[in-house]
Amino acid sequence: MRAQTIYVDAVKGKSEATGTITDPLLSLEKAMTIANSFAGKEQVSIKLEPGLYVLSQETIVKTSREDNDTLKFTIEAVHMPDDKDWQPAKMPVIQSVSSNNSKVQFTHSVGFMVGKSNVSFKGLKFVGNASPDVAYYYPITRENENLYGLEVSQCYFIGEKNSTRLQSGLWTHGAGIHVDHCIFYNCRNAMVLIKSIKDLSITNSIIYGAYESAIWFGPSEAEFVFRNNIVTHCNFFWVRPKDTQPLYTFSNSLITENDNYMGYISGDLVPTPNSNLKEIGIRKQGQVKLVEIKTDRDQPHNYLNLSPASDGNDLHAGIFKK
């Protein structure tokens, strides 16, 4: 199947470019506006060269086919982490500077609003929103619980609660959410997954320093896959609505050095030992050490991945698949 592809380059692009590989656009927002007008029966791909991409408003991921559009829509880096020539500086950085742009449920700011099924984000770094009036920022949101297919792969989500807060990397509803080889670092929550959650998988990912919870989960009782993950230095590992008791299966993961394990949502988050769990190969002892930037001029190639001295290296969690 052919694809409609738009290239964007935040450094070398032009405002009035054609969006080809040799004539890239400058603005991601303009590329998204063009993609919103597509009505063909072809997949859509927006490819980002290295650089900083600023979202000044809620950016909707859709085409003009609206509800009839089930074709894949991908927003991805030109250079992926497993490429031989990849370096951290080649990873496109997505930052919102938008003030609060949504009042759904409560006042907050959205980066990308997923408005169609079968959307993928690959090889991107999402950082928090520095706007002074924004308390709750969600880089990726999907409100429509009837949508399906959302892949997030080899992405960073990096927040800092005193400056560029990031409430949750994903706030999503619906089916077919697949998160793989991602790193969530100092987000308030890594993921908020609420309505109609089914066909969910969270694999090979690192969640570090979630100061509310790693996973905020809704009332779903559908089976899901949670495998080969590392969750550490978080307030809670997993929280669910009060008076729910679904069976959760967690496998082959290191969940250690967190303040609380399971909890429920009742205004505040409340620890609970009474959870219906099936744990297969879950380790709760171990010390996680990340590769962090120190005084070196350049970012380490594997920054925020596990250091060689860390427990959990056998799980192959982190930004690299190879």
Side-chain angles (χ1 to χ4, degrees):
M1 181 175 290
R2 295 185 302 164
Q4 300 174 99
T5 303
I6 303 173
Y7 285 86
V8 192
D9 190 327
V11 178
K12 300 177 182 179
K14 301 174 185 176
S15 297
E16 300 305 320
T18 58
T20 64
I21 191 170
T22 57
D23 188 29
L25 285 163
L26 177 65
S27 165
L28 172 57
E29 289 184 319
K30 184 167 185 178
M32 294 298 298
T33 298
I34 293 171
N36 290 165
S37 69
F38 286 164
K41 296 181 179 181
E42 299 175 352
Q43 298 179 5
V44 177
S45 180
I46 295 180
K47 293 183 175 289
L48 304 180
E49 293 283 359
L52 173 63
Y53 295 89
V54 177
L55 303 180
S56 61
Q57 58 190 347
E58 178 185 86
T59 302
I60 300 176
V61 183
K62 68 176 184 64
T63 66
S64 65
R65 298 185 70 206
E66 299 292 345
D67 293 340
N68 294 323
D69 185 3
T70 60
L71 295 171
K72 194 165 186 177
F73 191 127
T74 303
I75 304 170
E76 62 185 335
V78 170
H79 307 280
M80 292 295 291
D82 289 313
D83 293 347
K84 289 183 178 180
D85 65 344
W86 184 86
Q87 294 294 329
K90 289 190 174 184
M91 180 172 258
V93 178
I94 312 292
Q95 180 170 34
S96 175
V97 296
S98 173
S99 58
N100 291 308
N101 53 35
S102 177
K103 293 186 177 180
V104 174
Q105 294 188 251
F106 55 90
T107 300
H108 60 277
S109 178
V110 172
F112 288 104
M113 174 61 71
V114 176
K116 67 178 296 301
S117 293
N118 295 330
V119 171
S120 296
F121 296 88
K122 297 181 179 181
L124 309 175
K125 182 198 294 184
F126 296 89
V127 296
N129 187 325
S131 296
D133 64 331
V134 172
Y136 305 100
Y137 169 59
Y138 302 89
I140 299 174
T141 297
R142 189 174 71 181
E143 292 177 352
N144 186 342
E145 63 188 279
N146 296 313
L147 296 177
Y148 57 87
L150 175 60
E151 178 188 6
V152 184
S153 177
Q154 294 184 280
C155 291
Y156 284 100
F157 296 85
I158 301 175
E160 204 294 306
K161 62 184 176 182
N162 295 301
S163 58
T164 54
R165 285 180 285 186
L166 198 160
Q167 177 71 10
S168 179
L170 286 74
W171 177 20
T172 55
H173 310 300
I177 300 166
H178 301 290
V179 178
D180 183 56
H181 283 284
C182 289
I183 296 177
F184 300 83
Y185 182 79
N186 287 348
C187 306
R188 185 170 181 176
N189 306 274
M191 286 166 262
V192 176
L193 310 166
I194 305 297
K195 298 178 182 177
S196 303
I197 300 299
K198 58 184 178 180
D199 184 25
L200 165 71
S201 66
I202 302 169
T203 53
N204 301 101
S205 294
I206 298 172
I207 302 174
Y208 187 103
Y211 53 97
E212 187 164 58
S213 66
I215 308 295
W216 184 300
F217 200 70
S220 172
E221 296 189 7
E223 293 184 358
F224 57 79
V225 174
F226 185 95
R227 182 182 64 239
N228 286 61
N229 299 302
I230 293 174
V231 182
T232 186
H233 292 84
C234 300
N235 181 23
F236 280 83
F237 159 46
W238 193 282
V239 296
R240 65 177 190 271
K242 188 178 181 180
D243 300 324
T244 64
Q245 195 69 278
L247 172 63
Y248 297 138
T249 300
F250 306 123
S251 62
N252 203 38
S253 296
L254 176 60
I255 305 171
T256 183
E257 299 181 286
N258 300 295
D259 295 336
N260 302 279
Y261 195 65
M262 305 295 293
Y264 65 82
I265 306 158
S266 180
D268 294 329
L269 304 185
V270 180
T272 174
N274 300 318
S275 296
N276 191 12
L277 304 180
K278 183 178 181 181
E279 297 174 316
I280 305 169
I282 295 298
R283 288 174 262 169
K284 299 180 182 178
Q285 300 292 327
Q287 190 172 35
V288 175
K289 297 180 180 179
L290 302 184
V291 176
E292 298 188 87
I293 297 171
K294 295 182 179 178
T295 58
D296 296 332
R297 180 177 178 182
D298 296 322
Q299 294 173 319
H301 181 266
N302 60 339
Y303 83 108
L304 297 186
N305 286 269
L306 298 185
S307 75
S310 177
D311 289 310
N313 269 298
D314 59 305
L315 299 174
H316 304 293
I319 209 74
F320 304 107
K321 292 186 176 183
K322 296 181 181 177

